[in-house]
Amino acid sequence: MGSMTIGFGKPGDASASVNDAHNYVNKEQVEVTTLDNEILTFAKNDRVAVIKIDVEGHEARVLKGLASALQDQQVECLIWERHKAWRKQLKLPSLKNEIDLVSRSGYFVYYASKDEVLRVDGDYWHERLEPRYVKLDVFAVRGNSTLNQYFDRKLLPSCRQNLY
């Protein structure tokens, strides 16, 4: 599919970055692909239970490379991170763009923090949610899944109360 440069620390140092690879002494060119290609290759017609995306601010690009699998509802649950600082540092558009991309494929999208879970797709979104957390996990579940039915019964009443 392509390649990119990743910078990384010395052995034993867990740091790595594509954002500022030029600041690292150690650099390596790595092959990249999309999750759609990986799912097509390895899962074929099976569903994927969970995908966790943690790519330091590049989640929107990964989500775009997962669009076919999402459209086919091949993923049960999708989790990605969002840091408040990334929006400014990387000049990212609103998180709503990522939420809309996922929800258009029939997924319900939630914020999860240590204190609450809020549904944030469609009419549940409000612009005040964008800067609400320094770091949060966003997760999406297939609309007709057992997991989503559980959330609908157990979580949504409190989500609606806490939204505004």
Side-chain angles (χ1 to χ4, degrees):
M1 190 106 237
S3 66
M4 65 188 318
T5 302
I6 186 167
F8 55 94
K10 59 185 178 247
D13 180 359
S15 68
S17 179
V18 296
N19 295 334
D20 59 352
H22 61 279
N23 289 329
Y24 284 83
V25 174
N26 300 306
K27 299 175 187 72
E28 190 168 324
Q29 197 73 11
V30 295
E31 294 299 313
V32 294
T33 187
T34 65
L35 284 172
D36 277 339
N37 284 341
E38 292 298 300
I39 290 170
L40 187 62
T41 301
F42 295 104
K44 301 195 183 345
N45 294 323
D46 293 333
R47 282 210 171 106
V48 175
V50 177
I51 293 178
K52 169 69 164 104
I53 303 169
D54 183 357
V55 289
E56 305 302 317
H58 298 280
E59 285 73 10
R61 291 170 58 188
V62 173
L63 289 170
K64 286 178 186 170
L66 184 60
S68 292
L70 292 175
Q71 191 64 44
D72 294 342
Q73 297 210 340
Q74 211 171 345
V75 178
E76 291 288 328
C77 181
L78 176 65
I79 305 164
W80 71 99
E81 288 185 354
R82 184 66 176 236
H83 287 264
K84 197 175 187 177
W86 291 342
R87 183 161 187 206
K88 190 178 219 178
Q89 180 184 15
L90 300 173
K91 298 177 177 56
L92 298 176
S94 171
L95 175 60
K96 180 150 180 10
N97 294 357
E98 295 167 26
I99 291 168
D100 288 346
L101 175 76
V102 173
S103 67
R104 277 194 302 270
S105 294
Y107 289 79
F108 294 164
V109 185
Y110 302 87
Y111 274 178
S113 74
K114 66 179 184 151
D115 300 319
E116 62 188 344
V117 174
L118 299 173
R119 186 163 168 197
V120 295
D121 60 279
D123 291 339
Y124 292 91
W125 176 260
H126 191 281
E127 63 187 35
R128 287 183 294 182
L129 293 170
E130 179 78 43
R132 189 166 183 171
Y133 303 101
V134 172
K135 178 213 174 265
L136 59 90
D137 286 318
V138 182
F139 66 98
V141 293
R142 206 168 40 84
N144 59 355
S145 68
T146 304
L147 184 58
N148 189 61
Q149 291 168 13
Y150 172 81
F151 286 152
D152 196 42
R153 284 193 316 274
K154 300 290 186 184
L155 298 177
L156 284 184
S158 64
C159 289
R160 289 186 184 114
Q161 292 167 5
N162 293 334
L163 187 55
Y164 301 103

